[in-house]
Amino acid sequence: MTPFDYSRAATPAEAARLGSEGATFIAGGTNLLDLMKLEVMTPDRLVDINRLDLGGIEETQDGGLRIGALVRNSDLAADRRVRDAYPVLAEALLAGASGQLRNKATTGGNLLQRTRCYYFYDTAMPCNKREPGSGCQALGGVTRLHAIFGASEHCIATHPSDMAVVMRALDAMVEIRSAGDEVRQVPIGDFYRLPGDTPQIENVLEPGDLITAVVLPSPRAGRQTYRKVRDRASYAFALVSVAGVLDVEDGRIMRPAFAFGGVAHMPWRNAEFEAMLDGQPLSSDLFDRATAHLVADAKPQDGNAFKVPLLKRTLRAVLRELTEG
Ligand SMILES: Cc1cc2nc3c(=O)[nH]c(=O)nc-3n(C[C@H](O)[C@H](O)[C@H](O)COP(=O)(O)OP(=O)(O)OC[C@H]3O[C@@H](n4cnc5c(N)ncnc54)[C@H](O)[C@@H]3O)c2cc1C
Ligand code: SF4
């Protein structure tokens, strides 16, 4: 690990100011410290944000939840309001990492964890995300974990977070405080960027921007579930995952919201797929057509072509679970 300076921020304003001067925030450290040990990230200054007052979960005026950026994944999954009104979020959190990691991992850090692309972690390999312009070793390499949607010729990595997938299905907003003390909320669908020709830029954060909270809209009626397919039963990242939320009224699907993990640089959502389902009577034929439409523009690599049928089957299972009984 290369040497670095360390300080603790006492206020969000101080953290944001130090961030704007080039410091890197550390929250749970469960991703950042691994990357520093491997010298994939070599910040020369860390600002510990753990003492900031960002650890609360509060109800908002419109009946939603405001989740502080430092709320630990275990605490969020165990919160009674989350379990009752957003059970899909608790499911996704508990499907991620291990108990020990979830006790440290924070809401903000989870959104910003880096890709698990093998080559990104290996500094002997070219990687446009780690070192812009050096090339992409994954192309033509081992691509089991890589993207089938939205990738570019410069990067085919996926975003690894389970929590972020559900946040996308729930239309969460990311609350950000800038070094200039401005607070803005960004829909999570606009927060992440696809790789394009700048895969090193992963989201809309500017230097010094501190995530202060994630805000969930008021809970919706209906059914919700998260299904994650992975190589081991636990302690593994998603090959594909599906977060599904919908209601069934008079035998028709109402207000479907689906997000997909393990398939793109960001939690993936497809408005046309949801529109095909919305208001339609339940039918096996409808599910066939909609799932086929979802994967129609998939562009897999040799090593991850299996994700296309796997995603279809997983989605069919989720649709059955949410609409039967
Ligand atoms: C073995 C292992 C298995 C795992 N399995 C899974 C899994 O199955 N599913 C899953 O979703 N995750 C998994 N994880 C990842 C884990 O969930 C993340 O490491 C964790 O959520 C990151 O949170 P953190 O608070 O530790 O972030 P840190 O490591 O502290 O920070 C991560 C990044 O976010 C930045 N940051 C942190 N907080 C803020 C903030 N408030 N504002 C701005 N920037 C901020 C940091 O500067 C850093 O760049 C696994 C991790 C490990 C080590
Ligand atoms: S897929 Fe992206 S992260 Fe992986 S080696 Fe290529 S550029 Fe790097």
Side-chain angles (χ1 to χ4, degrees):
M1 201 187 271
T2 55
F4 57 89
D5 289 335
Y6 169 90
S7 62
R8 288 193 182 113
T11 63
E14 184 189 3
R17 178 180 57 76
L18 293 169
S20 73
E21 292 167 3
T24 298
F25 302 133
I26 180 164
T30 60
N31 189 215
L32 180 61
L33 287 178
D34 279 355
L35 291 164
M36 288 172 66
K37 284 184 224 163
L38 293 168
E39 301 198 340
V40 174
M41 289 178 74
T42 52
D44 49 25
R45 184 159 189 199
L46 288 191
V47 175
D48 187 336
I49 59 172
N50 282 286
R51 293 198 178 170
L52 303 183
D53 184 19
L54 301 175
I57 306 175
E58 302 153 11
E59 285 159 43
T60 60
Q61 281 185 346
D62 66 356
L65 277 188
R66 183 176 179 283
I67 302 159
L70 288 173
V71 172
R72 308 286 153 174
N73 287 180
S74 305
D75 294 334
L76 188 56
D79 187 272
R80 173 55 58 196
R81 294 159 294 186
V82 171
R83 287 158 56 115
D84 287 348
Y86 310 94
V88 62
L89 176 57
E91 277 180 69
L93 287 161
L94 294 174
S98 64
Q100 293 93 331
L101 284 159
R102 292 193 294 269
N103 288 342
K104 288 298 290 177
T106 63
T107 302
N110 190 293
L111 291 182
L112 294 178
Q113 62 178 293
R114 311 295 303 276
T115 182
R116 292 283 156 171
C117 172
Y118 328 100
Y119 306 103
F120 175 71
Y121 277 78
D122 184 347
T123 54
M125 295 289 178
C127 168
N128 287 324
K129 187 183 279 297
R130 180 170 25 78
E131 196 179 329
S134 62
C136 172
Q137 188 71 21
L139 284 164
V142 179
T143 52
R144 186 169 176 76
L145 283 180
H146 289 75
I148 57 173
F149 297 122
S152 75
E153 61 186 314
H154 301 285
C155 180
I156 57 171
T158 50
H159 195 276
S161 168
D162 291 296
M163 187 193 80
V165 176
V166 168
M167 293 297 192
R168 178 113 204 244
L170 293 175
D171 291 316
M173 307 286 282
V174 184
E175 185 186 284
I176 301 161
R177 183 189 182 114
S178 74
D181 279 353
E182 283 162 15
V183 177
R184 67 190 193 278
Q185 286 197 353
V186 177
I188 192 157
D190 298 333
F191 179 75
Y192 294 108
R193 291 172 44 130
L194 289 176
D197 56 7
T198 52
Q200 73 279 12
I201 305 174
E202 298 177 342
N203 52 57
V204 299
L205 293 181
E206 300 286 343
D209 279 354
L210 175 73
I211 296 180
T212 45
V214 176
V215 181
L216 293 177
S218 56
R220 299 180 22 178
R223 308 172 188 186
Q224 331 179 342
T225 197
Y226 185 69
R227 189 172 289 228
K228 174 177 180 179
V229 183
R230 47 190 157 178
D231 280 326
R232 291 188 305 268
S234 69
Y235 206 39
F237 291 90
L239 292 169
V240 306
S241 69
V242 178
V245 182
L246 56 73
D247 211 353
V248 178
E249 289 173 12
D250 300 327
R252 289 176 184 271
I253 296 174
M254 305 304 291
R255 297 173 295 280
F258 284 81
F260 306 96
V263 293
H265 215 70
M266 59 197 283
W268 193 248
R269 205 160 159 181
N270 184 311
E272 286 178 6
F273 164 75
E274 290 172 16
M276 282 179 82
L277 296 175
D278 199 13
Q280 297 303 308
L282 303 175
S283 86
S284 184
D285 175 59
L286 172 68
F287 292 172
D288 283 343
R289 282 187 286 113
T291 50
H293 185 82
L294 175 74
V295 300
D297 59 354
K299 292 191 176 54
Q301 309 294 314
D302 288 349
N304 68 358
F306 72 93
K307 283 193 179 183
V308 176
L310 182 62
L311 178 63
K312 285 175 74 175
R313 284 200 303 275
T314 309
L315 179 54
R316 282 297 299 254
V318 165
L319 284 165
R320 272 198 305 277
E321 183 184 335
L322 291 175
T323 56
E324 283 177 2

